[in-house]
């Protein structure tokens, strides 16, 4: 039987955050997807990672729709065909691939359901590599027990997101990681920004031209930030109170509106993991 995200994985209960919007909850091997059927994209992905039991299995790259859900409720090949958009894994392929060989193989296959994909910039730059490697760094450098992490990931849906082929393209993605430390649960949060670095007039011009031509709207280079968990909660409306309280990130300074600064990351060693 498929086992999804386990709230007790860290030996202290960390419940699955439930989105305020109506979602379809889909359990897979070691992870759970909360699919926003209106957006046809995942609103939340939650995975348990056991670093001591990870298996090294080959990448499959065979994307498919989840047969448990009607095809029209999922963003499938019609979004990604014939363009430069990545099918970005929300639950990273490597993360749930642990346990017995059969269990790991099942998890490996299940990360390639379109329910676990999100449209992202395909340019592989340093910041994208950093985003993809956050879990690895945290498994090694966070003062965790049993090398276990629970990781929550999703897009930030915004009414201003550009439209393409009838889909909204999220410009921000978030990730919150939790682990068990000496004093209890610890957490930290990150934002991936693929907003185009253009002034407003140029952005409007390029967006209009792309829309008229049926092309991908302008997207910017990946930028990865470490941010307060509270900011993720504010952006998404998810109930992350337990992880807000456990946040290890202490912003240094504030912007003009009194909000905490986001720390732009260029290498993992810049992450702040100590209280």
């Amino acid at each position: 039987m498929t086992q999804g995200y386990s709230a007790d994985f860290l030996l202290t209960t960390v419940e699955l955050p439930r989105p305020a919007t109506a979602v379809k909850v889909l359990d897979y091997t070691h992870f759970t997807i909360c699919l926003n059927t209106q957006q046809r994209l995942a609103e939340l992905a939650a995975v348990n990672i056991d670093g001591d039991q990870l298996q090294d299995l080959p990448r499959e790259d065979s994307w498919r729709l989840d047969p448990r859900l009607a095809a029209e409720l999922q963003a499938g090949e019609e979004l990604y065909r014939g363009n430069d958009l990545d099918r970005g894994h929300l639950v990273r392929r490597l993360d749930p691939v642990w346990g017995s060989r059969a269990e790991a193989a099942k998890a490996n296959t299940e990360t390639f359901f379109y329910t676990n994909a999100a449209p992202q910039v395909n340019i592989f730059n340093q910041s994208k590599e950093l985003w993809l490697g956050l879990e690895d760094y945290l498994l090694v450098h966070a003062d965790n027990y049993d090398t276990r992490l629970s990781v929550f990931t999703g897009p930030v849906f915004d009414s201003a997101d550009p439209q393409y082929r009838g889909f909204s393209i999220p410009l921000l993605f978030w990730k919150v990681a939790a682990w068990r430390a000496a004093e209890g649960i610890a957490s930290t949060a990150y934002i991936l920004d693929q907003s185009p670095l253009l002034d407003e007039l140029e952005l409007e011009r390029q967006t209009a031209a792309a829309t008229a031509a049926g092309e991908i709207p302008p997207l910017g280079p990946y930028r990865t930030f470490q941010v307060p968990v509270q900011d993720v909660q504010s952006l998404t409306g998810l109930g992350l109170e337990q992880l807000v309280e456990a946040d290890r990130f202490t912003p240094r300074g504030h912007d003009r509106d009194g909000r905490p600064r986001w720390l732009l990351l260029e290498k993992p060693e810049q992450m702040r993991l100590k209280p």
Side-chain angles (χ1 to χ4, degrees):
M1 184 174 69
T2 297
Q3 173 65 52
Y5 170 82
S6 171
D8 298 323
F9 182 71
L10 301 178
L11 306 182
T12 300
T13 300
V14 180
E15 296 289 351
L16 179 71
R18 292 302 175 111
T21 55
V23 295
K24 178 68 175 178
V25 179
L26 299 164
D27 286 335
Y28 302 95
T29 304
H30 303 145
F31 69 99
T32 292
I33 299 291
C34 294
L35 190 77
N36 184 317
T37 54
Q38 182 175 359
Q39 297 282 354
R40 292 171 286 171
L41 296 169
E43 187 149 335
L44 168 71
V47 61
N48 303 127
I49 309 170
D50 189 332
D52 284 339
Q53 295 193 67
L54 289 172
Q55 298 265 10
D56 184 15
L57 298 181
R59 184 181 177 92
E60 166 180 307
D61 264 341
S62 178
W63 288 93
R64 59 205 175 280
L65 297 173
D66 190 321
R68 296 175 293 176
L69 200 62
E72 61 269 21
L73 300 179
Q74 311 172 57
E77 190 61 17
E78 73 275 16
L79 173 56
Y80 302 97
R81 183 188 299 114
N83 57 41
D84 291 331
L85 285 176
D86 264 356
R87 301 163 183 83
H89 277 80
L90 292 175
V91 170
R92 193 177 61 153
R93 181 187 72 86
L94 301 174
D95 288 350
V97 181
W98 54 269
S100 69
R101 194 73 174 179
E103 190 178 15
K106 189 169 184 288
N108 186 40
T109 298
E110 289 175 346
T111 64
F112 286 92
F113 280 120
Y114 275 115
T115 49
N116 186 41
Q120 293 181 342
V121 174
N122 72 339
I123 298 171
F124 200 93
N125 57 27
Q126 183 177 3
S127 191
K128 183 173 182 179
E129 185 174 12
L130 174 63
W131 177 259
L132 294 176
L134 284 175
E135 288 94 330
D136 289 338
Y137 187 83
L138 290 169
L139 279 169
V140 173
H141 293 281
D143 53 345
N144 52 351
Y145 289 73
D146 304 320
T147 59
R148 289 185 170 197
L149 290 174
S150 288
V151 178
F152 310 95
T153 308
V156 177
F157 293 124
D158 190 283
S159 59
D161 287 338
Q163 301 296 304
Y164 176 64
R165 294 182 178 177
F167 295 89
S168 294
I169 307 298
L171 297 180
L172 298 180
F173 293 85
W174 58 271
K175 188 186 300 288
V176 176
W179 65 95
R180 189 167 63 94
E183 71 279 12
I185 293 296
S187 68
T188 186
Y190 305 90
I191 291 285
L192 174 69
D193 187 354
Q194 59 177 1
S195 302
L197 301 179
L198 302 169
D199 64 46
E200 187 173 349
L201 289 177
E202 181 62 16
L203 176 59
E204 289 179 0
R205 187 191 70 79
Q206 290 193 24
T207 299
T211 300
E215 297 175 350
I216 301 170
L219 299 173
Y222 273 165
R223 290 177 296 161
T224 299
F225 299 86
Q226 187 173 9
V227 307
V229 178
Q230 176 66 60
D231 284 16
V232 173
Q233 179 170 262
S234 298
L235 285 167
T236 64
L238 290 169
L240 299 173
E241 289 82 5
Q242 180 184 10
L243 300 179
V244 169
E245 291 297 321
D247 195 355
R248 288 294 187 90
F249 178 60
T250 303
R252 296 172 185 170
H254 294 74
D255 65 20
R256 287 180 299 176
D257 297 322
R259 294 175 301 210
R261 292 184 185 275
W262 290 7
L263 174 64
L264 178 63
L265 298 175
E266 296 177 345
K267 53 186 178 181
E269 291 77 17
Q270 292 175 278
M271 296 181 199
R272 300 178 192 160
L273 301 177
K274 299 295 183 182

